[in-house]
mmCIF file of all heavy atoms in Angstrom:
data_model
loop_
_atom_site.group_PDB
_atom_site.id
_atom_site.type_symbol
_atom_site.label_atom_id
_atom_site.label_comp_id
_atom_site.label_asym_id
_atom_site.label_seq_id
_atom_site.Cartn_x
_atom_site.Cartn_y
_atom_site.Cartn_z
ATOM 1 N N VAL A 25 10.196 14.501 -2.018
ATOM 2 C CA VAL A 25 9.532 13.243 -1.671
ATOM 3 C C VAL A 25 10.511 12.336 -0.923
ATOM 4 O O VAL A 25 11.640 12.130 -1.357
ATOM 5 C CB VAL A 25 9.007 12.521 -2.934
ATOM 6 C CG1 VAL A 25 8.382 11.185 -2.583
ATOM 7 C CG2 VAL A 25 8.014 13.404 -3.673
ATOM 8 N N ILE A 26 10.059 11.787 0.197
ATOM 9 C CA ILE A 26 10.867 10.847 0.961
ATOM 10 C C ILE A 26 10.970 9.548 0.168
ATOM 11 O O ILE A 26 9.977 9.049 -0.366
ATOM 12 C CB ILE A 26 10.235 10.569 2.343
ATOM 13 C CG1 ILE A 26 10.219 11.854 3.165
ATOM 14 C CG2 ILE A 26 10.961 9.448 3.080
ATOM 15 C CD1 ILE A 26 9.383 11.753 4.422
ATOM 16 N N TRP A 27 12.168 9.009 0.094
ATOM 17 C CA TRP A 27 12.357 7.744 -0.603
ATOM 18 C C TRP A 27 13.422 6.930 0.112
ATOM 19 O O TRP A 27 14.222 7.455 0.884
ATOM 20 C CB TRP A 27 12.727 7.960 -2.069
ATOM 21 C CG TRP A 27 14.064 8.614 -2.283
ATOM 22 C CD1 TRP A 27 14.327 9.958 -2.320
ATOM 23 C CD2 TRP A 27 15.323 7.959 -2.461
ATOM 24 N NE1 TRP A 27 15.654 10.166 -2.515
ATOM 25 C CE2 TRP A 27 16.296 8.963 -2.608
ATOM 26 C CE3 TRP A 27 15.717 6.622 -2.519
ATOM 27 C CZ2 TRP A 27 17.641 8.671 -2.811
ATOM 28 C CZ3 TRP A 27 17.061 6.332 -2.713
ATOM 29 C CH2 TRP A 27 18.007 7.344 -2.859
ATOM 30 N N GLU A 28 13.366 5.632 -0.153
ATOM 31 C CA GLU A 28 14.400 4.734 0.360
ATOM 32 C C GLU A 28 14.611 3.620 -0.651
ATOM 33 O O GLU A 28 13.788 3.421 -1.542
ATOM 34 C CB GLU A 28 14.024 4.156 1.725
ATOM 35 C CG GLU A 28 12.798 3.277 1.716
ATOM 36 C CD GLU A 28 12.398 2.805 3.109
ATOM 37 O OE1 GLU A 28 12.052 3.666 3.940
ATOM 38 O OE2 GLU A 28 12.427 1.578 3.344
ATOM 39 N N TYR A 29 15.734 2.928 -0.507
ATOM 40 C CA TYR A 29 16.028 1.807 -1.391
ATOM 41 C C TYR A 29 16.039 0.513 -0.579
ATOM 42 O O TYR A 29 16.539 0.476 0.549
ATOM 43 C CB TYR A 29 17.395 1.967 -2.076
ATOM 44 C CG TYR A 29 17.771 0.725 -2.848
ATOM 45 C CD1 TYR A 29 17.228 0.490 -4.104
ATOM 46 C CD2 TYR A 29 18.613 -0.234 -2.301
ATOM 47 C CE1 TYR A 29 17.533 -0.675 -4.806
ATOM 48 C CE2 TYR A 29 18.915 -1.396 -2.987
ATOM 49 C CZ TYR A 29 18.374 -1.609 -4.233
ATOM 50 O OH TYR A 29 18.662 -2.769 -4.914
ATOM 51 N N ALA A 30 15.502 -0.544 -1.155
ATOM 52 C CA ALA A 30 15.566 -1.886 -0.572
ATOM 53 C C ALA A 30 15.833 -2.875 -1.694
ATOM 54 O O ALA A 30 15.230 -2.777 -2.767
ATOM 55 C CB ALA A 30 14.260 -2.223 0.132
ATOM 56 N N LYS A 31 16.728 -3.790 -1.450
ATOM 57 C CA LYS A 31 17.053 -4.773 -2.479
ATOM 58 C C LYS A 31 15.890 -5.724 -2.755
ATOM 59 O O LYS A 31 15.598 -6.052 -3.887
ATOM 60 C CB LYS A 31 18.296 -5.560 -2.052
ATOM 61 C CG LYS A 31 18.777 -6.523 -3.093
ATOM 62 C CD LYS A 31 20.085 -7.169 -2.698
ATOM 63 C CE LYS A 31 20.498 -8.125 -3.782
ATOM 64 N NZ LYS A 31 21.778 -7.838 -4.342
ATOM 65 N N ASN A 32 15.191 -6.147 -1.683
ATOM 66 C CA ASN A 32 14.181 -7.188 -1.814
ATOM 67 C C ASN A 32 12.768 -6.651 -1.588
ATOM 68 O O ASN A 32 12.425 -6.237 -0.485
ATOM 69 C CB ASN A 32 14.490 -8.320 -0.821
ATOM 70 C CG ASN A 32 13.619 -9.526 -1.047
ATOM 71 O OD1 ASN A 32 12.403 -9.443 -0.932
ATOM 72 N ND2 ASN A 32 14.238 -10.652 -1.353
ATOM 73 N N THR A 33 11.954 -6.700 -2.617
ATOM 74 C CA THR A 33 10.577 -6.188 -2.557
ATOM 75 C C THR A 33 9.720 -6.988 -1.577
ATOM 76 O O THR A 33 8.929 -6.401 -0.830
ATOM 77 C CB THR A 33 9.935 -6.230 -3.964
ATOM 78 O OG1 THR A 33 10.792 -5.562 -4.884
ATOM 79 C CG2 THR A 33 8.574 -5.575 -3.968
ATOM 80 N N ILE A 34 9.879 -8.302 -1.566
ATOM 81 C CA ILE A 34 9.058 -9.153 -0.687
ATOM 82 C C ILE A 34 9.286 -8.792 0.781
ATOM 83 O O ILE A 34 8.335 -8.724 1.569
ATOM 84 C CB ILE A 34 9.350 -10.658 -0.932
ATOM 85 C CG1 ILE A 34 8.999 -11.042 -2.371
ATOM 86 C CG2 ILE A 34 8.597 -11.533 0.070
ATOM 87 C CD1 ILE A 34 7.542 -10.875 -2.751
ATOM 88 N N ASP A 35 10.527 -8.546 1.162
ATOM 89 C CA ASP A 35 10.822 -8.167 2.549
ATOM 90 C C ASP A 35 10.112 -6.860 2.912
ATOM 91 O O ASP A 35 9.553 -6.731 4.007
ATOM 92 C CB ASP A 35 12.329 -8.008 2.775
ATOM 93 C CG ASP A 35 13.086 -9.327 2.697
ATOM 94 O OD1 ASP A 35 12.442 -10.401 2.779
ATOM 95 O OD2 ASP A 35 14.326 -9.279 2.552
ATOM 96 N N ILE A 36 10.122 -5.911 2.004
ATOM 97 C CA ILE A 36 9.457 -4.622 2.240
ATOM 98 C C ILE A 36 7.957 -4.830 2.423
ATOM 99 O O ILE A 36 7.345 -4.311 3.354
ATOM 100 C CB ILE A 36 9.734 -3.645 1.075
ATOM 101 C CG1 ILE A 36 11.180 -3.184 1.113
ATOM 102 C CG2 ILE A 36 8.781 -2.467 1.079
ATOM 103 C CD1 ILE A 36 11.563 -2.381 2.340
ATOM 104 N N ILE A 37 7.347 -5.604 1.543
ATOM 105 C CA ILE A 37 5.901 -5.852 1.615
ATOM 106 C C ILE A 37 5.546 -6.557 2.928
ATOM 107 O O ILE A 37 4.574 -6.195 3.593
ATOM 108 C CB ILE A 37 5.430 -6.657 0.390
ATOM 109 C CG1 ILE A 37 5.515 -5.767 -0.859
ATOM 110 C CG2 ILE A 37 4.023 -7.204 0.590
ATOM 111 C CD1 ILE A 37 5.304 -6.503 -2.162
ATOM 112 N N THR A 38 6.334 -7.541 3.310
ATOM 113 C CA THR A 38 6.098 -8.263 4.569
ATOM 114 C C THR A 38 6.124 -7.296 5.749
ATOM 115 O O THR A 38 5.240 -7.329 6.614
ATOM 116 C CB THR A 38 7.150 -9.381 4.750
ATOM 117 O OG1 THR A 38 7.054 -10.277 3.643
ATOM 118 C CG2 THR A 38 6.936 -10.134 6.051
ATOM 119 N N ASN A 39 7.120 -6.424 5.786
ATOM 120 C CA ASN A 39 7.238 -5.461 6.887
ATOM 121 C C ASN A 39 6.084 -4.462 6.896
ATOM 122 O O ASN A 39 5.557 -4.125 7.956
ATOM 123 C CB ASN A 39 8.572 -4.727 6.824
ATOM 124 C CG ASN A 39 9.739 -5.637 7.152
ATOM 125 O OD1 ASN A 39 9.581 -6.652 7.831
ATOM 126 N ND2 ASN A 39 10.911 -5.293 6.668
ATOM 127 N N LEU A 40 5.684 -3.985 5.726
ATOM 128 C CA LEU A 40 4.567 -3.040 5.656
ATOM 129 C C LEU A 40 3.275 -3.677 6.149
ATOM 130 O O LEU A 40 2.498 -3.049 6.869
ATOM 131 C CB LEU A 40 4.408 -2.496 4.237
ATOM 132 C CG LEU A 40 5.512 -1.567 3.746
ATOM 133 C CD1 LEU A 40 5.321 -1.244 2.265
ATOM 134 C CD2 LEU A 40 5.566 -0.297 4.565
ATOM 135 N N LYS A 41 3.034 -4.928 5.775
ATOM 136 C CA LYS A 41 1.832 -5.631 6.235
ATOM 137 C C LYS A 41 1.835 -5.770 7.750
ATOM 138 O O LYS A 41 0.800 -5.618 8.397
ATOM 139 C CB LYS A 41 1.721 -7.000 5.567
ATOM 140 C CG LYS A 41 1.270 -6.932 4.116
ATOM 141 C CD LYS A 41 1.146 -8.332 3.539
ATOM 142 C CE LYS A 41 0.562 -8.293 2.153
ATOM 143 N NZ LYS A 41 0.365 -9.647 1.599
ATOM 144 N N LYS A 42 3.000 -6.032 8.334
ATOM 145 C CA LYS A 42 3.120 -6.131 9.793
ATOM 146 C C LYS A 42 2.778 -4.802 10.465
ATOM 147 O O LYS A 42 2.310 -4.781 11.588
ATOM 148 C CB LYS A 42 4.530 -6.563 10.188
ATOM 149 C CG LYS A 42 4.816 -8.021 9.939
ATOM 150 C CD LYS A 42 6.246 -8.374 10.320
ATOM 151 C CE LYS A 42 6.568 -9.809 9.959
ATOM 152 N NZ LYS A 42 7.992 -10.116 10.191
ATOM 153 N N GLU A 43 3.025 -3.697 9.754
ATOM 154 C CA GLU A 43 2.716 -2.360 10.272
ATOM 155 C C GLU A 43 1.251 -1.981 10.056
ATOM 156 O O GLU A 43 0.844 -0.875 10.380
ATOM 157 C CB GLU A 43 3.611 -1.317 9.598
ATOM 158 C CG GLU A 43 5.077 -1.450 9.917
ATOM 159 C CD GLU A 43 5.938 -0.505 9.091
ATOM 160 O OE1 GLU A 43 5.409 0.501 8.549
ATOM 161 O OE2 GLU A 43 7.142 -0.770 8.971
ATOM 162 N N GLY A 44 0.473 -2.886 9.477
ATOM 163 C CA GLY A 44 -0.940 -2.618 9.250
ATOM 164 C C GLY A 44 -1.238 -1.864 7.969
ATOM 165 O O GLY A 44 -2.318 -1.301 7.799
ATOM 166 N N ILE A 45 -0.303 -1.868 7.052
ATOM 167 C CA ILE A 45 -0.492 -1.188 5.775
ATOM 168 C C ILE A 45 -1.064 -2.183 4.765
ATOM 169 O O ILE A 45 -0.565 -3.302 4.611
ATOM 170 C CB ILE A 45 0.829 -0.580 5.276
ATOM 171 C CG1 ILE A 45 1.273 0.499 6.277
ATOM 172 C CG2 ILE A 45 0.693 -0.018 3.867
ATOM 173 C CD1 ILE A 45 2.619 1.099 6.008
ATOM 174 N N TYR A 46 -2.132 -1.778 4.085
ATOM 175 C CA TYR A 46 -2.793 -2.609 3.083
ATOM 176 C C TYR A 46 -1.990 -2.502 1.792
ATOM 177 O O TYR A 46 -1.749 -1.398 1.291
ATOM 178 C CB TYR A 46 -4.216 -2.106 2.882
ATOM 179 C CG TYR A 46 -5.093 -3.010 2.064
ATOM 180 C CD1 TYR A 46 -5.788 -4.056 2.665
ATOM 181 C CD2 TYR A 46 -5.242 -2.818 0.694
ATOM 182 C CE1 TYR A 46 -6.608 -4.887 1.917
ATOM 183 C CE2 TYR A 46 -6.055 -3.639 -0.054
ATOM 184 C CZ TYR A 46 -6.736 -4.675 0.560
ATOM 185 O OH TYR A 46 -7.540 -5.498 -0.184
ATOM 186 N N VAL A 47 -1.562 -3.630 1.246
ATOM 187 C CA VAL A 47 -0.695 -3.635 0.062
ATOM 188 C C VAL A 47 -1.468 -4.156 -1.142
ATOM 189 O O VAL A 47 -2.107 -5.208 -1.074
ATOM 190 C CB VAL A 47 0.556 -4.503 0.301
ATOM 191 C CG1 VAL A 47 1.446 -4.519 -0.933
ATOM 192 C CG2 VAL A 47 1.337 -4.013 1.522
ATOM 193 N N ILE A 48 -1.405 -3.389 -2.232
ATOM 194 C CA ILE A 48 -1.999 -3.836 -3.496
ATOM 195 C C ILE A 48 -0.954 -3.705 -4.597
ATOM 196 O O ILE A 48 -0.011 -2.909 -4.490
ATOM 197 C CB ILE A 48 -3.257 -3.027 -3.889
ATOM 198 C CG1 ILE A 48 -2.923 -1.551 -4.120
ATOM 199 C CG2 ILE A 48 -4.344 -3.174 -2.853
ATOM 200 C CD1 ILE A 48 -4.024 -0.771 -4.778
ATOM 201 N N ALA A 49 -1.102 -4.496 -5.632
ATOM 202 C CA ALA A 49 -0.249 -4.392 -6.812
ATOM 203 C C ALA A 49 -1.118 -3.994 -7.991
ATOM 204 O O ALA A 49 -2.231 -4.507 -8.145
ATOM 205 C CB ALA A 49 0.447 -5.721 -7.090
ATOM 206 N N ILE A 50 -0.626 -3.090 -8.776
ATOM 207 C CA ILE A 50 -1.336 -2.714 -9.998
ATOM 208 C C ILE A 50 -0.693 -3.494 -11.137
ATOM 209 O O ILE A 50 0.487 -3.333 -11.426
ATOM 210 C CB ILE A 50 -1.272 -1.193 -10.244
ATOM 211 C CG1 ILE A 50 -1.995 -0.470 -9.109
ATOM 212 C CG2 ILE A 50 -1.859 -0.856 -11.609
ATOM 213 C CD1 ILE A 50 -2.007 1.025 -9.230
ATOM 214 N N GLU A 51 -1.481 -4.378 -11.717
ATOM 215 C CA GLU A 51 -0.954 -5.281 -12.731
ATOM 216 C C GLU A 51 -2.068 -5.711 -13.671
ATOM 217 O O GLU A 51 -3.241 -5.731 -13.288
ATOM 218 C CB GLU A 51 -0.338 -6.505 -12.048
ATOM 219 C CG GLU A 51 0.442 -7.406 -12.965
ATOM 220 C CD GLU A 51 1.585 -6.704 -13.672
ATOM 221 O OE1 GLU A 51 2.672 -6.603 -13.106
ATOM 222 O OE2 GLU A 51 1.360 -6.238 -14.810
ATOM 223 N N GLN A 52 -1.711 -6.064 -14.874
ATOM 224 C CA GLN A 52 -2.673 -6.564 -15.856
ATOM 225 C C GLN A 52 -2.561 -8.082 -15.896
ATOM 226 O O GLN A 52 -1.653 -8.626 -16.516
ATOM 227 C CB GLN A 52 -2.383 -5.981 -17.236
ATOM 228 C CG GLN A 52 -2.524 -4.481 -17.286
ATOM 229 C CD GLN A 52 -2.053 -3.907 -18.611
ATOM 230 O OE1 GLN A 52 -1.192 -4.454 -19.268
ATOM 231 N NE2 GLN A 52 -2.636 -2.779 -18.984
ATOM 232 N N THR A 53 -3.482 -8.753 -15.196
ATOM 233 C CA THR A 53 -3.507 -10.216 -15.195
ATOM 234 C C THR A 53 -4.946 -10.687 -15.370
ATOM 235 O O THR A 53 -5.891 -9.917 -15.199
ATOM 236 C CB THR A 53 -2.966 -10.808 -13.865
ATOM 237 O OG1 THR A 53 -3.897 -10.533 -12.824
ATOM 238 C CG2 THR A 53 -1.603 -10.257 -13.514
ATOM 239 N N GLU A 54 -5.102 -11.953 -15.648
ATOM 240 C CA GLU A 54 -6.452 -12.497 -15.810
ATOM 241 C C GLU A 54 -7.220 -12.522 -14.492
ATOM 242 O O GLU A 54 -8.436 -12.584 -14.486
ATOM 243 C CB GLU A 54 -6.393 -13.894 -16.429
ATOM 244 C CG GLU A 54 -5.541 -14.865 -15.651
ATOM 245 C CD GLU A 54 -5.202 -16.122 -16.435
ATOM 246 O OE1 GLU A 54 -5.355 -16.126 -17.667
ATOM 247 O OE2 GLU A 54 -4.799 -17.097 -15.793
ATOM 248 N N CYS A 55 -6.511 -12.453 -13.366
ATOM 249 C CA CYS A 55 -7.163 -12.455 -12.048
ATOM 250 C C CYS A 55 -7.327 -11.045 -11.476
ATOM 251 O O CYS A 55 -7.825 -10.880 -10.364
ATOM 252 C CB CYS A 55 -6.357 -13.289 -11.063
ATOM 253 S SG CYS A 55 -6.188 -15.008 -11.552
ATOM 254 N N ALA A 56 -6.910 -10.047 -12.216
ATOM 255 C CA ALA A 56 -6.928 -8.676 -11.710
ATOM 256 C C ALA A 56 -8.358 -8.172 -11.511
ATOM 257 O O ALA A 56 -9.276 -8.549 -12.232
ATOM 258 C CB ALA A 56 -6.193 -7.751 -12.675
ATOM 259 N N LYS A 57 -8.505 -7.308 -10.516
ATOM 260 C CA LYS A 57 -9.786 -6.648 -10.264
ATOM 261 C C LYS A 57 -9.734 -5.288 -10.957
ATOM 262 O O LYS A 57 -8.766 -4.546 -10.818
ATOM 263 C CB LYS A 57 -9.974 -6.470 -8.756
ATOM 264 C CG LYS A 57 -11.318 -5.971 -8.353
ATOM 265 C CD LYS A 57 -11.413 -5.951 -6.832
ATOM 266 C CE LYS A 57 -12.835 -6.122 -6.411
ATOM 267 N NZ LYS A 57 -12.970 -6.228 -4.973
ATOM 268 N N SER A 58 -10.753 -4.967 -11.691
ATOM 269 C CA SER A 58 -10.811 -3.692 -12.391
ATOM 270 C C SER A 58 -10.757 -2.531 -11.389
ATOM 271 O O SER A 58 -11.385 -2.598 -10.326
ATOM 272 C CB SER A 58 -12.098 -3.616 -13.209
ATOM 273 O OG SER A 58 -12.181 -2.376 -13.872
ATOM 274 N N LEU A 59 -10.008 -1.494 -11.713
ATOM 275 C CA LEU A 59 -9.884 -0.349 -10.805
ATOM 276 C C LEU A 59 -11.233 0.278 -10.463
ATOM 277 O O LEU A 59 -11.440 0.742 -9.348
ATOM 278 C CB LEU A 59 -8.957 0.709 -11.406
ATOM 279 C CG LEU A 59 -7.471 0.393 -11.349
ATOM 280 C CD1 LEU A 59 -6.670 1.469 -12.081
ATOM 281 C CD2 LEU A 59 -6.984 0.250 -9.929
ATOM 282 N N ASN A 60 -12.161 0.283 -11.417
ATOM 283 C CA ASN A 60 -13.465 0.893 -11.126
ATOM 284 C C ASN A 60 -14.326 0.010 -10.210
ATOM 285 O O ASN A 60 -15.381 0.432 -9.758
ATOM 286 C CB ASN A 60 -14.215 1.245 -12.413
ATOM 287 C CG ASN A 60 -14.555 0.038 -13.254
ATOM 288 O OD1 ASN A 60 -14.075 -1.067 -13.012
ATOM 289 N ND2 ASN A 60 -15.372 0.239 -14.266
ATOM 290 N N LYS A 61 -13.868 -1.214 -9.915
ATOM 291 C CA LYS A 61 -14.578 -2.094 -8.988
ATOM 292 C C LYS A 61 -13.835 -2.250 -7.667
ATOM 293 O O LYS A 61 -14.266 -2.973 -6.787
ATOM 294 C CB LYS A 61 -14.788 -3.471 -9.622
ATOM 295 C CG LYS A 61 -15.707 -3.429 -10.824
ATOM 296 C CD LYS A 61 -15.868 -4.799 -11.432
ATOM 297 C CE LYS A 61 -16.775 -4.688 -12.651
ATOM 298 N NZ LYS A 61 -16.841 -5.940 -13.394
ATOM 299 N N PHE A 62 -12.708 -1.572 -7.536
ATOM 300 C CA PHE A 62 -11.891 -1.687 -6.336
ATOM 301 C C PHE A 62 -12.275 -0.602 -5.339
ATOM 302 O O PHE A 62 -12.346 0.568 -5.675
ATOM 303 C CB PHE A 62 -10.407 -1.554 -6.693
ATOM 304 C CG PHE A 62 -9.501 -1.652 -5.501
ATOM 305 C CD1 PHE A 62 -9.268 -2.870 -4.893
ATOM 306 C CD2 PHE A 62 -8.889 -0.525 -4.997
ATOM 307 C CE1 PHE A 62 -8.432 -2.968 -3.798
ATOM 308 C CE2 PHE A 62 -8.052 -0.607 -3.896
ATOM 309 C CZ PHE A 62 -7.820 -1.826 -3.294
ATOM 310 N N ASN A 63 -12.552 -1.010 -4.102
ATOM 311 C CA ASN A 63 -12.859 -0.062 -3.032
ATOM 312 C C ASN A 63 -11.617 0.134 -2.174
ATOM 313 O O ASN A 63 -11.084 -0.844 -1.633
ATOM 314 C CB ASN A 63 -14.009 -0.575 -2.166
ATOM 315 C CG ASN A 63 -15.297 -0.635 -2.943
ATOM 316 O OD1 ASN A 63 -15.638 0.291 -3.666
ATOM 317 N ND2 ASN A 63 -16.018 -1.734 -2.808
ATOM 318 N N LEU A 64 -11.184 1.370 -2.053
ATOM 319 C CA LEU A 64 -10.012 1.657 -1.237
ATOM 320 C C LEU A 64 -10.292 1.362 0.227
ATOM 321 O O LEU A 64 -11.350 1.727 0.747
ATOM 322 C CB LEU A 64 -9.607 3.128 -1.388
ATOM 323 C CG LEU A 64 -8.940 3.512 -2.692
ATOM 324 C CD1 LEU A 64 -8.762 5.016 -2.775
ATOM 325 C CD2 LEU A 64 -7.594 2.819 -2.828
ATOM 326 N N PRO A 65 -9.356 0.723 0.904
ATOM 327 C CA PRO A 65 -9.541 0.452 2.334
ATOM 328 C C PRO A 65 -9.379 1.742 3.136
ATOM 329 O O PRO A 65 -8.747 2.697 2.674
ATOM 330 C CB PRO A 65 -8.415 -0.534 2.652
ATOM 331 C CG PRO A 65 -7.353 -0.209 1.654
ATOM 332 C CD PRO A 65 -8.090 0.222 0.409
ATOM 333 N N ASN A 66 -9.928 1.758 4.314
ATOM 334 C CA ASN A 66 -9.820 2.924 5.183
ATOM 335 C C ASN A 66 -8.612 2.745 6.108
ATOM 336 O O ASN A 66 -8.752 2.690 7.322
ATOM 337 C CB ASN A 66 -11.113 3.114 5.987
ATOM 338 C CG ASN A 66 -11.148 4.460 6.667
ATOM 339 O OD1 ASN A 66 -10.400 5.373 6.305
ATOM 340 N ND2 ASN A 66 -11.987 4.599 7.663
ATOM 341 N N GLN A 67 -7.447 2.601 5.511
ATOM 342 C CA GLN A 67 -6.194 2.442 6.244
ATOM 343 C C GLN A 67 -5.057 2.834 5.308
ATOM 344 O O GLN A 67 -5.263 2.955 4.100
ATOM 345 C CB GLN A 67 -6.039 0.993 6.737
ATOM 346 C CG GLN A 67 -5.848 -0.027 5.622
ATOM 347 C CD GLN A 67 -5.909 -1.454 6.114
ATOM 348 O OE1 GLN A 67 -6.975 -2.009 6.212
ATOM 349 N NE2 GLN A 67 -4.751 -2.027 6.420
#
């Protein structure tokens, strides 16, 4: 598996979004959307 290291997560996310990559976080919060209600983007 290809892997890389980056010190700062926010910088990585910012760059990925600029490349047109849809970014999601999997987390348990009161604002979270249930996985069974989440539609994967076509990108």
